[in-house]
Amino acid sequence: MSATVLDPVEISSVGPAVDSRGKPWNITAEMLQQIAETYDPTIHEAPILVNHDKAAENKGLTKALKFDGHSLMAYPHRMDSEFADKVNEGRWPKLSAGFYGPDAPENPHKGKWALQEFSVVQIPGKKGLASPRFSEPEQGVHYFIFGEPMSKSNSDGDSTAPAPDAPPENAVAPPPVEDQASAGDDLSAREKALADREAALKQRESQASARESALADQEAAAAEAELAAFCEGQVGEGFAPFLVPHVKTIAKVLRSHPGSVTFGEGDDAQDKDPIEVLKEFVRSVRLEGVRFGEGEIAGGDDAPKARSPKAVAAKASKIQSDAKAAGEDITDTEAVRRAGGN
């Protein structure tokens, strides 16, 4: 420690404040007058700390307190010279006082407000920014952030505390006290507005996704209906009814992978829709000698009349079941062939 002389500093003032627990307070003249009157360095000499770190070595001591009707002024002494230089350079832009509440267990002045310590702290100097959270204080102790930090005096020797009825000679004019409760309300309002905008955006995205999904379902249903009508027409032209479900399944898979398919090479290459290629295949597949619809089986005037698709399918199913019972495993195509007769 050195004998660096410091100007008196404002560590609290009358008006609204918020403690480190986020509780709003109204600092009254009576509270600050009581703190000044109870201060006795022979009982408890309040240390000067950095960020309320009581585990670290203090940077100075508080020689006296003075309340001028608005501000509570502290008179530091026995300051660390290197620490004082850093304060003057703006390393710690604010002060925070720690007060014993009247019921604090460690309060040396039971039933009254008293100074525990005060610290230089690093908090944003710009109005509206959030203050930092300090480590949890002891029970009954309240930390409040106030004015500018201490500055080194130009005089020499040890500082002298003024008489109780005399104003401090080198008192620093305090800056306006920011209404921290109001700043906290403004921050909460901005956070709520942001949350509301995010919720509205998510709702719009969800609605858009639902509309896209509904449109996709409608398109798929229309495509399935169109394919079902196509297959029904092809069954009447000789396409096997039992193959229709397979065609629908293949079409569903193809629609889940949209795109074209290239057929041929070089100048003969052509891009085709896979569904149209499937339809071409269906048109080309006919069971020999069977016409599922009006007309006759190929073979001339003496050929028997053609059966309906349902009749051929029913007979093919029975043929396949009978064959299986007899130990013969035949394919669907063979069963239809036998049902149609050839």
Side-chain angles (χ1 to χ4, degrees):
M1 296 289 178
S2 71
T4 299
V5 178
L6 299 170
D7 293 335
V9 292
E10 180 191 45
I11 62 171
S12 184
S13 60
V14 174
V18 178
D19 67 17
S20 59
R21 296 180 178 88
K23 179 181 178 181
W25 289 79
N26 182 33
I27 305 298
T28 66
E30 291 74 17
M31 290 171 60
L32 299 183
Q33 182 66 46
Q34 190 175 89
I35 292 170
E37 290 176 351
T38 58
Y39 187 71
D40 185 349
T42 63
I43 296 176
H44 171 68
E45 191 168 20
I48 300 169
L49 306 174
V50 176
N51 294 325
H52 299 290
D53 185 2
K54 298 180 181 64
E57 181 181 0
N58 69 63
K59 303 301 182 181
L61 299 170
T62 305
K63 187 173 185 179
L65 297 178
K66 170 67 178 180
F67 179 59
D68 63 9
H70 176 76
S71 300
L72 181 64
M73 310 299 294
Y75 291 80
H77 74 140
R78 298 176 59 81
M79 294 294 299
D80 180 278
S81 178
E82 182 179 353
F83 166 73
D85 289 339
K86 290 181 179 180
V87 169
N88 290 339
E89 293 170 359
R91 177 76 173 274
W92 296 280
K94 290 287 184 180
L95 291 175
S96 176
F99 296 146
Y100 286 118
D103 299 327
E106 301 300 323
N107 188 349
H109 305 282
K110 299 297 184 183
K112 297 181 179 181
W113 286 89
L115 177 66
Q116 183 196 54
E117 49 89 3
F118 72 90
S119 295
V120 292
V121 293
Q122 292 175 323
I123 66 169
K126 183 179 180 181
K127 184 177 180 180
L129 295 182
S131 299
R133 293 185 178 273
F134 303 112
S135 58
E136 188 68 16
E138 300 95 324
Q139 181 181 354
V141 177
H142 307 274
Y143 294 155
F144 299 92
I145 300 171
F146 292 97
E148 301 298 327
M150 62 203 73
S151 61
K152 189 184 295 185
S153 170
N154 293 324
S155 60
D156 295 326
D158 209 5
S159 62
T160 303
D165 57 348
E169 296 179 359
N170 298 319
V172 178
V177 178
E178 296 180 3
D179 188 345
Q180 298 185 35
S182 177
D185 292 341
D186 291 343
L187 179 60
S188 297
R190 291 197 297 273
E191 290 175 343
K192 183 179 183 303
L194 178 59
D196 290 343
R197 287 196 296 271
E198 290 179 347
L201 178 59
K202 289 181 179 179
Q203 183 178 12
R204 289 196 294 271
E205 291 176 346
S206 177
Q207 292 172 347
S209 177
R211 287 195 296 270
E212 291 177 359
S213 178
L215 180 59
D217 290 343
Q218 293 175 4
E219 292 176 346
E224 289 176 2
E226 189 275 334
L227 183 66
F230 168 78
C231 289
E232 183 177 349
Q234 293 304 306
V235 166
E237 296 296 326
F239 186 71
F242 69 87
L243 292 178
V244 171
H246 301 293
V247 173
K248 292 181 178 180
T249 300
I250 294 172
K252 187 174 182 179
V253 173
L254 293 176
R255 281 195 294 269
S256 67
H257 297 81
S260 60
V261 178
T262 302
F263 292 87
E265 298 180 357
D267 296 338
D268 297 330
Q270 292 183 347
D271 290 337
K272 295 184 178 181
D273 181 353
I275 298 297
E276 292 303 319
V277 174
L278 178 63
K279 289 180 178 180
E280 291 178 6
F281 172 76
V282 171
R283 293 188 188 99
S284 68
V285 175
R286 294 291 182 269
L287 292 178
E288 184 178 354
V290 180
R291 181 179 178 84
F292 296 97
E294 296 180 357
E296 299 177 352
I297 297 176
D301 296 335
D302 295 333
K305 297 295 183 181
R307 300 183 180 90
S308 70
K310 290 184 178 179
V312 173
K315 185 174 181 180
S317 178
K318 185 176 185 307
I319 290 173
Q320 197 171 32
S321 297
D322 292 344
K324 186 175 183 179
E328 182 184 6
D329 188 11
I330 64 174
T331 64
D332 293 340
T333 302
E334 176 61 20
V336 172
R337 189 190 68 78
R338 294 182 185 181
N342 226 9

